[in-house]
Amino acid sequence: MTNRIPIASPVRTAAIVNRYFVHAKKNLGQNFLVDLDAVQGIVRAAGIEPGDQVVEVGPGIGSLTEQLLLAGGKVAAYEVDHSLPEILANELPEKVDGQDLDQRFKLIMKDVLKADFATDLAGFFDLSKPVKVVANLPYYITTPIIFNLLESSLDFTSLTLMMQKEVAERLAAQPGSKVYGPLSIAVQTQMSVDLALEVGHASFMPQPKVDSAVVVLTPLEKPADVGDRKQFNRVVKLCFAQRRKTLANNMKTLLPDKEDREKLLADLDLGPRQRPEQLAISDFIRISQAIAEMNK
């Protein structure tokens, strides 16, 4: 069937909701995106070109999926809502650029946090080539999905993710910002962060109480050498344990002895009364490495 009105339009979304008696599930963090400009903005931010291999997380009723396909992408989508496969099969275009839908789209009914990308994508993607990840993420699970993707074996050139605006701002935050913290540092040691566009709450159905933003994460050519990443993240998290306290006070768990803390900070040319949000990522790397040396 030929669908002339995009799924992302409010009229088409409403028609789909009524036809299939589907509704956005709060427990899955679902909100249907009903703003074609925003959807196309996500596709542009991701730089989707003909032939691109795209992993989508949470296709929903297909608003973003449809535009990824029309831009030339070959899409493998992870979904957990078992009420949606029928909708996607019926509402996505039967043919895209002369190809049947099943040649361009694969639905994987699995939680992306449990994905085995090599197995899931084998036979559909050319795994010798990289992919682009595009997703409209549920607010409640944004951070776990980001870290799952960063730690996975998936060879991606970019992650283009829509999320709660507040989280997006934390990802992009720089030293001195009130929202700069462990999340900013953990991501920025591995990825460049670009705030691509903002999407207001009125662009969704039902409307959430907060606005969203689209972030493009691109792997750094040379990720920061943080040593043991698990230990580094622990050090950073403890340094930010209480934002209103000084760095020295927050480091009590890491170094219980006051003289040890003062000596370490002095050796690193860091003031004991500095607050954690004032430090650059390189400072946290030096702190983590120094603590690791002391614990040998």
Side-chain angles (χ1 to χ4, degrees):
M1 81 193 220
T2 301
N3 297 316
R4 295 185 179 179
I5 302 175
I7 297 173
S9 70
V11 171
R12 180 82 185 283
T13 295
I16 291 172
V17 167
N18 292 331
R19 183 179 305 130
Y20 298 95
F21 303 102
V22 68
H23 63 277
K25 295 180 174 65
K26 287 186 178 180
N27 65 313
L28 296 179
Q30 290 177 341
N31 294 91
F32 301 134
L33 186 55
V34 290
D35 183 337
L36 182 59
D37 287 342
V39 172
Q40 292 178 336
I42 296 170
V43 175
R44 286 194 298 272
I48 303 301
E49 298 177 347
D52 280 348
Q53 301 184 134
V54 183
V55 169
E56 185 184 8
V57 181
I61 62 172
S63 303
L64 178 56
T65 313
E66 179 182 52
Q67 298 303 315
L68 291 169
L69 292 168
L70 293 176
K74 187 174 187 179
V75 181
Y78 284 86
E79 180 56 70
V80 295
D81 186 346
H82 287 273
S83 70
L84 298 177
E86 178 188 8
I87 297 174
L88 290 166
N90 291 340
E91 300 298 332
L92 289 173
E94 290 182 358
K95 288 187 178 292
V96 184
D97 299 329
Q99 293 182 305
D100 291 339
L101 181 62
D102 61 4
Q103 294 178 279
R104 293 284 296 275
F105 176 69
K106 178 179 181 179
L107 182 62
I108 303 166
M109 294 304 297
K110 181 187 289 188
D111 184 342
V112 73
L113 294 176
K114 300 176 182 177
D116 178 345
F117 293 111
T119 301
D120 297 342
L121 303 175
F124 185 67
F125 280 176
D126 179 349
L127 295 177
S128 68
K129 298 178 180 179
V131 304
K132 294 177 178 178
V133 178
V134 183
N136 174 11
L137 295 177
Y139 292 160
Y140 76 99
I141 203 170
T142 296
T143 301
I145 287 178
I146 290 173
F147 282 106
N148 176 262
L149 290 168
L150 292 182
E151 294 165 6
S152 75
S153 60
L154 187 63
D155 180 15
F156 58 83
T157 56
S158 63
L159 306 175
T160 303
L161 311 172
M162 183 156 67
M163 62 192 70
Q164 187 173 340
K165 183 180 175 183
E166 178 185 331
V167 178
E169 290 173 342
R170 285 166 57 199
L171 287 176
Q174 297 298 306
S177 165
K178 291 182 179 180
V179 295
Y180 174 72
L183 180 61
S184 323
I185 294 165
V187 171
Q188 290 176 31
T189 55
Q190 304 174 71
M191 315 288 285
S192 67
V193 183
D194 175 40
L195 280 173
L197 68 146
E198 296 183 9
V199 181
H201 61 276
S203 294
F204 296 88
M205 187 180 80
Q207 292 185 16
K209 295 180 180 179
V210 297
D211 292 333
S212 297
V214 177
V215 175
V216 181
L217 306 180
T218 307
L220 296 172
E221 287 188 17
K222 291 185 178 180
D225 182 4
V226 301
D228 183 330
R229 182 162 290 277
K230 186 175 181 180
Q231 171 64 13
F232 172 74
N233 288 342
R234 177 177 177 270
V235 168
V236 173
K237 186 175 180 179
L238 289 173
C239 284
F240 278 91
Q242 297 184 63
R243 296 185 70 96
R244 294 186 179 182
K245 289 196 172 183
T246 64
L247 181 65
N249 278 329
N250 278 332
M251 289 178 62
K252 286 181 180 179
T253 302
L254 292 165
L255 294 173
D257 186 86
K258 182 179 179 181
E259 290 186 5
D260 286 344
R261 292 197 303 276
E262 290 179 347
K263 182 178 185 305
L264 181 146
L265 292 174
D267 289 346
L268 298 178
D269 198 26
L270 296 172
R273 300 203 60 77
Q274 281 187 281
R275 298 190 183 278
E277 64 267 23
Q278 297 174 306
L279 271 61
I281 291 175
S282 58
D283 294 325
F284 288 105
I285 293 174
R286 292 190 300 133
I287 291 172
S288 181
Q289 291 174 340
I291 290 175
E293 285 295 318
M294 292 176 69
N295 291 333
K296 281 186 177 179

